[in-house]
Amino acid sequence: MMKFIRIDENSRVPKYQQIVNSIIHNISEGNLTIDQKIPSINMLSEEFYLSRDTVEKAYNILKERNIISSIRGKGYYITRTKLISKVNILFLVNKLSSYKMRTYNSFIDSIGANSHTDLHIYHCDESLFLNLLEKHKSAYDYYVIMPHFKTDDLRHISFTDNVLKVLNKMPKEKLIILDNNKPGVEGKIVEIYQDFENDIYSALKKGLLKIKKYKKLFLAYPQKAIYPYPRRILHGFRKFCVEHSIDFEILEHIYDDIILKKGDLFITIEESDLVNLVKQIREDEFVLGEDIGVISYNDTPLKELLGITVISTNFKMMGEITARMILHKEKGKVKVDFEFIDRNSL
């Protein structure tokens, strides 16, 4: 077993990482097999004149990846021989929504068989996010992060000070910021993002001729929510309405007894508001897309099936671009297309 470990004293790669790389490489070459015992921490440290902490750190990383396991009183064993020789990716998503999963599934389809991706949901919670990063630091080749957090009063924030502090300590070649782009992370990193303020403004402008046919435009924007939305959406919406002299109103949500009038046009963000609105339109015997218009934020297959007009980033493309940049080791910033998709509800 010792002959398979390679430690290069002149390498800039940390010695604990050289141990990890050696074991993974030899598993991929078939030199190490499942259930095979590997040297103890003391044996390896003595053989290569390494500190015990260095070897222990390497073994902890391998244990986090479920590549090796320890049995009390017996030692360490190889427990996994598939995928580990490939690119390992930690994918951190702020919420488990259908459109976030569309990005993730597109990424998985595009990244191919030469990778292993672990998905974790942190629910816009700073503490959970930081705990996940701390637990899995140094264990992955890439960290794909959708940064959306909430304050104590349930408002949206792109990054917290503590999150920025941790991200700025990470190797920039491993870090990929997805979906949300906001200054604060130092260095050259990969960013695949949407521009919330300018995106909604530009998308609504594409539908201006139809929007102008309605008397009043409403945006149902949840000011406080379990999963809050960027306030830049509000800024772009207001800019559009003011610039084109459109009467508008911002609602907290679609109320159960909301008063509907012919000539109203609603933009909904949350799925529950869309369902409630369509239900009330039918109950009040208005014609959807004629008497009352509806635009929904973020496209889903169900909205497509129901013929709901949407303004949405291309989540499928977001996943594809992310995978491509990892596979080809590309760097830089890419803004994902934001679309106005005209259907029957407008």
Side-chain angles (χ1 to χ4, degrees):
M1 168 64 199
M2 293 295 188
K3 66 181 180 181
F4 298 130
I5 304 296
R6 295 284 184 268
I7 302 296
D8 184 354
E9 295 291 339
N10 297 318
S11 175
R12 300 295 181 91
V13 177
K15 291 184 173 61
Y16 73 86
Q17 190 62 52
Q18 292 188 48
I19 296 171
V20 171
N21 294 344
S22 290
I23 291 177
I24 288 177
H25 173 73
N26 281 286
I27 290 174
S28 66
E29 293 293 314
N31 297 325
L32 300 176
T33 58
I34 196 165
D35 292 332
Q36 183 173 345
K37 188 175 182 179
I38 62 175
S40 68
I41 291 175
N42 289 334
M43 289 175 62
L44 205 58
S45 63
E46 291 173 5
E47 176 70 20
F48 293 98
Y49 303 102
L50 300 170
S51 72
R52 194 178 187 284
D53 288 345
T54 297
V55 181
E56 186 174 23
K57 186 173 184 179
Y59 277 25
N60 284 337
I61 291 173
L62 292 166
K63 285 172 68 177
E64 284 179 3
R65 294 193 190 180
N66 297 318
I67 295 170
I68 66 173
S69 61
S70 59
I71 301 176
R72 185 181 294 274
K74 293 188 176 181
Y76 292 89
Y77 295 83
I78 303 295
T79 56
R80 183 161 149 233
T81 56
K82 294 181 179 180
L83 297 175
I84 58 172
S85 61
K86 303 173 184 179
V87 177
N88 287 274
I89 303 161
L90 180 64
F91 207 104
L92 289 175
V93 178
N94 62 300
K95 64 178 178 179
L96 196 62
S97 64
S98 59
Y99 46 91
K100 300 282 184 178
M101 289 304 96
R102 200 170 189 180
T103 297
Y104 173 73
N105 291 330
S106 172
F107 173 79
I108 293 300
D109 290 341
S110 302
I111 198 71
N114 196 36
S115 70
H116 172 73
T117 303
D118 288 326
L119 173 67
H120 287 275
I121 316 298
Y122 66 91
H123 304 289
C124 297
D125 184 87
E126 179 197 64
S127 296
L128 181 54
F129 176 86
L130 293 175
N131 287 339
L132 284 169
L133 272 190
E134 175 64 26
K135 180 180 178 181
H136 298 291
K137 66 179 181 181
S138 303
Y140 291 88
D141 301 301
Y142 291 97
Y143 295 81
V144 180
I145 296 169
M146 288 187 177
H148 295 278
F149 299 91
K150 57 187 174 185
T151 61
D152 291 337
D153 61 350
L154 297 180
R155 293 182 180 274
H156 179 275
I157 185 170
S158 298
F159 296 95
T160 69
D161 291 340
N162 289 330
V163 168
L164 283 175
K165 188 175 180 181
V166 170
L167 294 183
N168 282 324
K169 290 180 179 178
M170 293 179 62
K172 298 304 180 286
E173 67 275 8
K174 291 187 173 186
L175 186 58
I176 297 174
I177 302 296
L178 191 62
D179 188 43
N180 191 10
N181 169 275
K182 198 70 174 170
V185 181
E186 301 169 356
K188 294 183 179 180
I189 61 172
V190 174
E191 297 175 83
I192 304 101
Y193 66 97
Q194 53 178 316
D195 181 348
F196 294 96
E197 180 174 343
N198 292 317
D199 281 345
I200 188 172
Y201 170 83
S202 300
L204 292 176
K205 200 169 181 179
K206 291 176 184 176
L208 181 61
L209 290 178
K210 283 195 170 184
I211 291 172
K212 277 281 195 178
K213 294 178 181 178
Y214 292 87
K215 297 177 182 177
K216 189 169 184 178
L217 179 55
F218 297 83
L219 172 63
Y221 175 87
Q223 297 283 351
K224 297 180 180 180
I226 296 175
Y227 300 113
Y229 296 88
R231 292 187 65 80
R232 284 166 282 160
I233 295 172
L234 278 179
H235 303 330
F237 171 77
R238 286 197 182 99
K239 178 182 175 182
F240 168 79
C241 293
V242 170
E243 185 172 304
H244 296 96
S245 302
I246 295 173
D247 186 18
F248 72 94
E249 184 176 343
I250 296 169
L251 307 172
E252 178 73 22
H253 58 84
I254 301 298
Y255 301 91
D256 290 337
D257 54 354
I258 191 170
I259 298 172
L260 300 176
K261 294 182 180 180
K262 188 174 181 178
D264 289 343
L265 171 58
F266 291 85
I267 300 175
T268 63
I269 295 180
E270 293 207 319
E271 304 291 286
S272 57
D273 281 334
L274 175 61
V275 171
N276 196 12
L277 177 61
V278 172
K279 180 182 177 183
Q280 292 191 63
I281 290 172
R282 291 175 178 175
E283 289 178 351
D284 293 349
E285 297 183 346
F286 287 111
V287 178
L288 177 64
E290 294 182 19
D291 299 330
I292 294 179
V294 175
I295 300 173
S296 186
Y297 195 89
N298 290 331
D299 197 17
T300 65
L302 184 58
K303 292 174 188 177
E304 181 179 3
L305 181 64
L306 296 176
I308 302 296
T309 297
V310 297
I311 49 176
S312 178
T313 196
N314 190 325
F315 294 102
K316 183 174 182 291
M317 180 184 292
M318 188 180 290
E320 291 172 350
I321 293 172
T322 306
R324 186 198 73 206
M325 295 187 82
I326 289 177
L327 291 171
H328 298 288
K329 300 188 185 317
E330 297 178 24
K331 301 297 179 184
K333 300 180 180 181
V334 178
K335 183 187 173 303
V336 181
D337 293 340
F338 198 88
E339 304 166 329
F340 172 84
I341 305 176
D342 192 6
R343 295 179 182 138
N344 298 331
S345 67
L346 187 65

